[in-house]
Amino acid sequence: MNRLGVLISGRGSNLQALIDAIRNAELNAEIAVVISNEPEASGLTRGQSAGIETLCINHRDYSPRERHDQAVVRALQERRVGLVCLAGYMRLVGKPLLDAFPNAILNIHPSLLPSFPGTDAQRQALDHGVKVSGVTVHIVTGELDGGPIVLQRTVPVMPGDSPDSLAARILIEEHQAYPAAVRIMLAGRWKIEGRRFVNA
Amino acid sequence: MNRLGVLISGRGSNLQALIDAIRNAELNAEIAVVISNEPEASGLTRGQSAGIETLCINHRDYSPRERHDQAVVRALQERRVGLVCLAGYMRLVGKPLLDAFPNAILNIHPSLLPSFPGTDAQRQALDHGVKVSGVTVHIVTGELDGGPIVLQRTVPVMPGDSPDSLAARILIEEHQAYPAAVRIMLAGRWKIEGRRFVNA
């Protein structure tokens, strides 16, 4: 499982956190491939700079949408990827990808799920007026931001926070949380019970 | 505002936390009255032991339910209560009470709202598989567990937690959080913006 595939759509700052954790020997894994659905994603450059194979699989080139998922699955499987990490991947994960990697796709979300799923989670949190928010790393299932939770970390919401300032505070925790969650997954001492991720 | 009325239905452990915080001069307030809707509530004894006036206003003696709320309001107003603290009060707060104490009723809930409102919040959290839970003190509005959030504190969910063990861990934070939230309310440097409680 310790061959990772990282899916991105943008700058991929969490990709960088994984690259750094591996480089610093905090994470015993290898990133086999970085795949973006967006040709312009600046995260592709991060991957290349780190000497990692990068691919663009542009979703606009595939129809219907399952065909795009299938192309991504093929690329991952050809590189013997065991664990898929979404890092700002702005596509819904379709059935072909879910079926090919059961309980082996992680996502990172900038809220304490189940609060504030979906887009603009930091703004949702501010508008709701919570005093604590954070980050959730979870296994991806067919339910949006609803899969078993591997790890959560909290941050305070400060008076005067904007969505940007809160997002920046959460991002610092994200960069710790994602490598830590991957480490837990690779250690393999876990099971799924109901909708719970139980780590021994 | 620093004359408190505490409403209970049971053992009132958060009542005890308020009594202790006042006694230790951590909270500059006075509990003017403790009111239970349940004659058998053991929290009534806590109040009496602390030399506080205690009342039972049994909801079974009032019909329709607004009459019970009105009796509670009357008792609170006669004692010039400025801030009402629900401490395990198992009644919905009706319109008479909300109207008499606008933005002046606090409740404490054993989850990080908006996650897991309603009853059995600790079990809900365990079943969902969150890795962090906590406590929320919020202003009571017509929406169940939905009012502006004054304060939140977090606790980890541990592998092997039962609803009871998680509840016990949260309760320790509750006993810190409730006096702290009352202190914030009494300091008076806050305002409500939209659904947010903003403390200066």
Side-chain angles (χ1 to χ4, degrees):
Chain A
M1 203 184 206
N2 78 334
R3 289 178 63 81
L4 311 183
V6 182
L7 306 191
I8 65 172
S9 299
R11 63 201 169 117
S13 82
N14 278 305
L15 163 62
Q16 190 66 54
L18 293 171
I19 291 171
D20 293 345
I22 292 168
R23 189 174 282 158
N24 301 335
E26 292 160 15
L27 181 59
N28 181 20
E30 180 183 349
I31 301 178
V33 65
V34 174
I35 303 175
S36 173
N37 67 303
E38 288 287 356
E40 303 298 326
S42 60
L44 288 169
T45 313
R46 290 187 199 266
Q48 285 152 7
S49 303
I52 298 166
E53 182 185 9
T54 60
L55 299 175
C56 174
I57 304 181
N58 190 330
H59 60 278
R60 296 171 193 85
D61 297 340
Y62 297 84
S63 176
R65 60 177 302 132
E66 286 70 30
R67 298 286 294 278
H68 179 253
D69 278 305
Q70 285 160 358
V72 171
V73 167
R74 212 157 37 236
L76 293 167
Q77 289 180 332
E78 282 169 6
R79 288 156 186 86
R80 293 174 293 115
V81 163
L83 182 65
V84 180
C85 299
L86 311 187
Y89 184 62
M90 301 302 283
R91 303 285 296 168
L92 286 177
V93 173
K95 192 167 173 350
L97 196 45
L98 290 170
D99 288 351
F101 292 93
N103 287 335
I105 308 175
L106 289 183
N107 186 39
I108 187 160
H109 182 82
S111 78
L112 293 177
L113 292 171
S115 291
F116 317 125
T119 57
D120 233 351
Q122 299 94 337
R123 182 181 298 273
Q124 288 184 58
L126 283 179
D127 288 349
H128 194 90
V130 290
K131 300 302 184 191
V132 176
S133 191
V135 53
T136 302
V137 182
H138 65 92
I139 292 178
V140 175
T141 63
E143 188 192 346
L144 178 67
D145 298 329
I149 293 170
V150 177
L151 188 151
Q152 294 183 303
R153 284 173 175 244
T154 64
V155 306
V157 177
M158 302 295 198
D161 257 340
S162 65
D164 282 350
S165 68
L166 178 58
R169 194 174 308 120
I170 293 173
L171 198 61
I172 293 169
E173 290 302 315
E174 289 182 41
H175 294 165
Q176 301 295 319
Y178 217 170
V182 171
R183 210 154 43 225
I184 290 169
M185 291 296 289
L186 298 184
R189 293 185 296 271
W190 52 271
K191 57 192 171 186
I192 306 290
E193 283 182 359
R195 57 150 295 123
R196 304 164 63 179
F197 179 94
V198 179
N199 198 29
Chain B
M1 203 185 206
N2 78 334
R3 289 178 64 80
L4 311 182
V6 182
L7 306 191
I8 65 172
S9 298
R11 64 201 168 115
S13 82
N14 278 305
L15 164 63
Q16 190 65 54
L18 293 171
I19 291 171
D20 293 345
I22 292 168
R23 188 173 285 159
N24 301 336
E26 292 160 15
L27 181 59
N28 180 19
E30 180 184 349
I31 301 177
V33 64
V34 173
I35 302 175
S36 173
N37 67 303
E38 287 287 357
E40 302 299 325
S42 61
L44 289 170
T45 313
R46 291 186 199 267
Q48 286 152 6
S49 303
I52 299 165
E53 183 186 9
T54 59
L55 299 176
C56 175
I57 304 181
N58 190 331
H59 61 278
R60 296 171 192 84
D61 297 339
Y62 296 85
S63 178
R65 59 177 303 129
E66 286 69 31
R67 297 285 294 277
H68 179 252
D69 278 304
Q70 285 159 359
V72 172
V73 167
R74 210 157 38 237
L76 293 167
Q77 288 179 333
E78 282 169 5
R79 287 156 186 86
R80 293 174 293 114
V81 163
L83 182 65
V84 180
C85 300
L86 310 187
Y89 184 62
M90 302 303 282
R91 303 284 297 168
L92 285 178
V93 173
K95 193 167 174 350
L97 196 44
L98 290 170
D99 288 350
F101 292 92
N103 288 335
I105 308 174
L106 289 183
N107 185 38
I108 188 160
H109 182 82
S111 78
L112 293 176
L113 292 171
S115 291
F116 317 125
T119 56
D120 233 352
Q122 300 95 336
R123 183 181 296 273
Q124 288 185 58
L126 282 179
D127 288 350
H128 193 91
V130 290
K131 301 303 184 191
V132 177
S133 192
V135 54
T136 301
V137 182
H138 65 92
I139 292 178
V140 175
T141 64
E143 186 192 348
L144 178 67
D145 296 330
I149 293 170
V150 178
L151 188 151
Q152 295 183 303
R153 285 175 174 242
T154 65
V155 307
V157 178
M158 302 295 197
D161 257 339
S162 65
D164 282 349
S165 67
L166 177 58
R169 195 174 307 119
I170 292 173
L171 197 61
I172 292 170
E173 291 302 315
E174 289 182 42
H175 293 167
Q176 301 295 319
Y178 217 170
V182 171
R183 209 154 45 224
I184 291 169
M185 291 296 289
L186 298 185
R189 293 184 297 273
W190 52 272
K191 57 191 170 184
I192 305 291
E193 283 181 358
R195 57 150 294 121
R196 303 163 65 179
F197 179 94
V198 180
N199 198 28

Short mmCIF file of all heavy atoms in Angstrom, two decimals, chain B residues 163-193:
data_model
loop_
_atom_site.label_atom_id
_atom_site.label_comp_id
_atom_site.label_asym_id
_atom_site.label_seq_id
_atom_site.Cartn_x
_atom_site.Cartn_y
_atom_site.Cartn_z
N PRO B 163 -20.07 5.44 25.27
CA PRO B 163 -20.76 6.71 25.51
C PRO B 163 -20.48 7.25 26.91
O PRO B 163 -20.29 8.46 27.09
CB PRO B 163 -22.24 6.35 25.31
CG PRO B 163 -22.22 5.23 24.33
CD PRO B 163 -20.98 4.43 24.67
N ASP B 164 -20.39 6.37 27.90
CA ASP B 164 -20.14 6.83 29.27
C ASP B 164 -18.74 7.40 29.45
O ASP B 164 -18.55 8.42 30.11
CB ASP B 164 -20.35 5.67 30.27
CG ASP B 164 -21.82 5.41 30.54
OD1 ASP B 164 -22.65 6.25 30.13
OD2 ASP B 164 -22.12 4.38 31.16
N SER B 165 -17.75 6.74 28.87
CA SER B 165 -16.37 7.23 29.07
C SER B 165 -16.17 8.55 28.32
O SER B 165 -15.50 9.46 28.82
CB SER B 165 -15.34 6.18 28.63
OG SER B 165 -15.39 5.97 27.23
N LEU B 166 -16.78 8.66 27.15
CA LEU B 166 -16.68 9.92 26.42
C LEU B 166 -17.43 11.03 27.17
O LEU B 166 -16.93 12.15 27.31
CB LEU B 166 -17.23 9.77 24.99
CG LEU B 166 -17.23 11.04 24.15
CD1 LEU B 166 -15.82 11.64 24.01
CD2 LEU B 166 -17.82 10.76 22.76
N ALA B 167 -18.61 10.69 27.68
CA ALA B 167 -19.39 11.68 28.43
C ALA B 167 -18.62 12.18 29.64
O ALA B 167 -18.65 13.38 29.96
CB ALA B 167 -20.73 11.07 28.85
N ALA B 168 -17.92 11.27 30.32
CA ALA B 168 -17.16 11.67 31.50
C ALA B 168 -16.03 12.63 31.12
O ALA B 168 -15.76 13.60 31.84
CB ALA B 168 -16.59 10.43 32.19
N ARG B 169 -15.37 12.34 29.99
CA ARG B 169 -14.28 13.23 29.56
C ARG B 169 -14.82 14.60 29.17
O ARG B 169 -14.21 15.63 29.47
CB ARG B 169 -13.54 12.57 28.37
CG ARG B 169 -12.18 13.22 28.09
CD ARG B 169 -11.41 12.46 26.99
NE ARG B 169 -11.32 11.07 27.32
CZ ARG B 169 -11.81 10.08 26.57
NH1 ARG B 169 -12.39 10.35 25.41
NH2 ARG B 169 -11.72 8.84 26.97
N ILE B 170 -15.96 14.60 28.50
CA ILE B 170 -16.57 15.89 28.11
C ILE B 170 -17.02 16.65 29.35
O ILE B 170 -16.88 17.88 29.43
CB ILE B 170 -17.74 15.66 27.14
CG1 ILE B 170 -17.21 15.12 25.79
CG2 ILE B 170 -18.51 16.96 26.91
CD1 ILE B 170 -18.31 14.70 24.81
N LEU B 171 -17.54 15.92 30.34
CA LEU B 171 -18.07 16.59 31.54
C LEU B 171 -17.00 17.40 32.27
O LEU B 171 -17.28 18.49 32.79
CB LEU B 171 -18.67 15.54 32.49
CG LEU B 171 -19.62 16.07 33.57
CD1 LEU B 171 -20.84 16.75 32.97
CD2 LEU B 171 -20.07 14.93 34.49
N ILE B 172 -15.78 16.90 32.26
CA ILE B 172 -14.68 17.66 32.88
C ILE B 172 -14.53 19.02 32.19
O ILE B 172 -14.37 20.04 32.85
CB ILE B 172 -13.36 16.84 32.79
CG1 ILE B 172 -13.48 15.60 33.68
CG2 ILE B 172 -12.16 17.69 33.19
CD1 ILE B 172 -12.35 14.59 33.48
N GLU B 173 -14.63 19.01 30.87
CA GLU B 173 -14.54 20.28 30.14
C GLU B 173 -15.77 21.15 30.37
O GLU B 173 -15.68 22.37 30.44
CB GLU B 173 -14.35 20.03 28.64
CG GLU B 173 -13.01 19.44 28.27
CD GLU B 173 -11.84 20.33 28.72
OE1 GLU B 173 -11.92 21.55 28.52
OE2 GLU B 173 -10.88 19.79 29.29
N GLU B 174 -16.93 20.51 30.48
CA GLU B 174 -18.16 21.27 30.76
C GLU B 174 -18.00 22.10 32.01
O GLU B 174 -18.41 23.27 32.06
CB GLU B 174 -19.35 20.31 30.93
CG GLU B 174 -19.81 19.64 29.65
CD GLU B 174 -21.02 18.74 29.88
OE1 GLU B 174 -21.94 19.13 30.62
OE2 GLU B 174 -21.03 17.62 29.32
N HIS B 175 -17.40 21.49 33.03
CA HIS B 175 -17.32 22.17 34.32
C HIS B 175 -16.38 23.37 34.27
O HIS B 175 -16.47 24.27 35.10
CB HIS B 175 -16.90 21.17 35.40
CG HIS B 175 -17.95 20.13 35.64
ND1 HIS B 175 -17.73 18.99 36.36
CD2 HIS B 175 -19.25 20.08 35.25
CE1 HIS B 175 -18.85 18.26 36.40
NE2 HIS B 175 -19.78 18.91 35.73
N GLN B 176 -15.45 23.38 33.30
CA GLN B 176 -14.63 24.57 33.05
C GLN B 176 -15.37 25.55 32.15
O GLN B 176 -15.29 26.77 32.31
CB GLN B 176 -13.32 24.16 32.37
CG GLN B 176 -12.48 23.18 33.16
CD GLN B 176 -11.97 23.77 34.46
OE1 GLN B 176 -11.57 24.93 34.49
NE2 GLN B 176 -12.03 22.99 35.53
N ALA B 177 -16.05 24.98 31.16
CA ALA B 177 -16.61 25.82 30.09
C ALA B 177 -17.79 26.66 30.57
O ALA B 177 -17.94 27.82 30.15
CB ALA B 177 -17.06 24.92 28.92
N TYR B 178 -18.61 26.11 31.45
CA TYR B 178 -19.82 26.85 31.79
C TYR B 178 -19.50 28.12 32.58
O TYR B 178 -19.94 29.22 32.20
CB TYR B 178 -20.83 25.95 32.50
CG TYR B 178 -22.28 26.23 32.13
CD1 TYR B 178 -23.31 25.39 32.52
CD2 TYR B 178 -22.63 27.36 31.38
CE1 TYR B 178 -24.63 25.64 32.17
CE2 TYR B 178 -23.95 27.62 31.04
CZ TYR B 178 -24.94 26.76 31.43
OH TYR B 178 -26.25 27.03 31.08
N PRO B 179 -18.69 28.01 33.65
CA PRO B 179 -18.33 29.26 34.33
C PRO B 179 -17.61 30.25 33.39
O PRO B 179 -17.87 31.46 33.45
CB PRO B 179 -17.39 28.78 35.44
CG PRO B 179 -17.78 27.37 35.70
CD PRO B 179 -18.18 26.82 34.36
N ALA B 180 -16.77 29.73 32.49
CA ALA B 180 -16.05 30.62 31.57
C ALA B 180 -17.03 31.34 30.65
O ALA B 180 -16.88 32.54 30.38
CB ALA B 180 -15.04 29.81 30.75
N ALA B 181 -18.03 30.64 30.19
CA ALA B 181 -19.01 31.26 29.29
C ALA B 181 -19.85 32.29 30.04
O ALA B 181 -20.16 33.37 29.51
CB ALA B 181 -19.91 30.18 28.68
N VAL B 182 -20.22 31.98 31.27
CA VAL B 182 -20.99 32.95 32.07
C VAL B 182 -20.15 34.21 32.28
O VAL B 182 -20.66 35.34 32.18
CB VAL B 182 -21.43 32.33 33.41
CG1 VAL B 182 -22.02 33.39 34.34
CG2 VAL B 182 -22.43 31.20 33.17
N ARG B 183 -18.86 34.01 32.54
CA ARG B 183 -17.95 35.16 32.72
C ARG B 183 -17.96 36.03 31.46
O ARG B 183 -18.02 37.27 31.56
CB ARG B 183 -16.54 34.62 32.99
CG ARG B 183 -15.68 35.51 33.85
CD ARG B 183 -14.62 34.71 34.59
NE ARG B 183 -13.95 33.73 33.76
CZ ARG B 183 -13.69 32.47 34.12
NH1 ARG B 183 -14.03 32.02 35.31
NH2 ARG B 183 -13.09 31.65 33.30
N ILE B 184 -17.90 35.42 30.31
CA ILE B 184 -17.92 36.18 29.05
C ILE B 184 -19.23 36.95 28.91
O ILE B 184 -19.24 38.13 28.55
CB ILE B 184 -17.72 35.22 27.84
CG1 ILE B 184 -16.29 34.67 27.83
CG2 ILE B 184 -18.04 35.93 26.53
CD1 ILE B 184 -16.08 33.52 26.85
N MET B 185 -20.32 36.28 29.24
CA MET B 185 -21.63 36.95 29.13
C MET B 185 -21.69 38.16 30.06
O MET B 185 -22.15 39.24 29.67
CB MET B 185 -22.76 35.98 29.49
CG MET B 185 -22.99 34.85 28.51
SD MET B 185 -23.51 35.40 26.86
CE MET B 185 -25.20 35.97 27.19
N LEU B 186 -21.25 37.98 31.29
CA LEU B 186 -21.36 39.05 32.29
C LEU B 186 -20.40 40.21 31.99
O LEU B 186 -20.69 41.35 32.32
CB LEU B 186 -21.09 38.50 33.70
CG LEU B 186 -22.06 37.43 34.20
CD1 LEU B 186 -21.74 37.06 35.65
CD2 LEU B 186 -23.51 37.88 34.07
N ALA B 187 -19.28 39.90 31.34
CA ALA B 187 -18.33 40.97 31.00
C ALA B 187 -18.96 41.94 30.01
O ALA B 187 -18.62 43.12 29.96
CB ALA B 187 -17.05 40.37 30.43
N GLY B 188 -19.88 41.42 29.19
CA GLY B 188 -20.73 42.31 28.39
C GLY B 188 -20.08 42.91 27.17
O GLY B 188 -20.67 43.77 26.51
N ARG B 189 -18.89 42.45 26.80
CA ARG B 189 -18.24 43.01 25.62
C ARG B 189 -18.52 42.14 24.40
O ARG B 189 -17.61 41.73 23.68
CB ARG B 189 -16.72 43.11 25.84
CG ARG B 189 -16.34 44.12 26.92
CD ARG B 189 -14.83 44.25 27.03
NE ARG B 189 -14.19 43.00 27.43
CZ ARG B 189 -14.01 42.63 28.70
NH1 ARG B 189 -14.40 43.41 29.68
NH2 ARG B 189 -13.45 41.48 28.99
N TRP B 190 -19.79 41.84 24.17
CA TRP B 190 -20.14 40.96 23.07
C TRP B 190 -21.34 41.52 22.34
O TRP B 190 -22.06 42.38 22.83
CB TRP B 190 -20.47 39.55 23.59
CG TRP B 190 -21.49 39.52 24.69
CD1 TRP B 190 -21.25 39.62 26.04
CD2 TRP B 190 -22.91 39.41 24.56
NE1 TRP B 190 -22.43 39.56 26.74
CE2 TRP B 190 -23.47 39.44 25.87
CE3 TRP B 190 -23.77 39.29 23.47
CZ2 TRP B 190 -24.85 39.35 26.10
CZ3 TRP B 190 -25.14 39.19 23.70
CH2 TRP B 190 -25.66 39.22 25.01
N LYS B 191 -21.52 41.03 21.13
CA LYS B 191 -22.72 41.37 20.37
C LYS B 191 -23.09 40.16 19.50
O LYS B 191 -22.27 39.26 19.29
CB LYS B 191 -22.47 42.60 19.49
CG LYS B 191 -21.30 42.44 18.55
CD LYS B 191 -20.89 43.75 17.89
CE LYS B 191 -19.56 43.53 17.15
NZ LYS B 191 -19.00 44.73 16.56
N ILE B 192 -24.31 40.17 19.03
CA ILE B 192 -24.78 39.12 18.13
C ILE B 192 -24.78 39.69 16.72
O ILE B 192 -25.37 40.74 16.48
CB ILE B 192 -26.20 38.65 18.50
CG1 ILE B 192 -26.26 38.22 19.98
CG2 ILE B 192 -26.67 37.54 17.58
CD1 ILE B 192 -25.53 36.96 20.31
N GLU B 193 -24.10 39.01 15.79
CA GLU B 193 -24.08 39.43 14.38
C GLU B 193 -24.56 38.25 13.55
O GLU B 193 -23.86 37.24 13.47
CB GLU B 193 -22.67 39.81 13.95
CG GLU B 193 -22.22 41.17 14.43
CD GLU B 193 -20.82 41.52 13.96
OE1 GLU B 193 -20.18 40.69 13.28
OE2 GLU B 193 -20.36 42.63 14.30
#
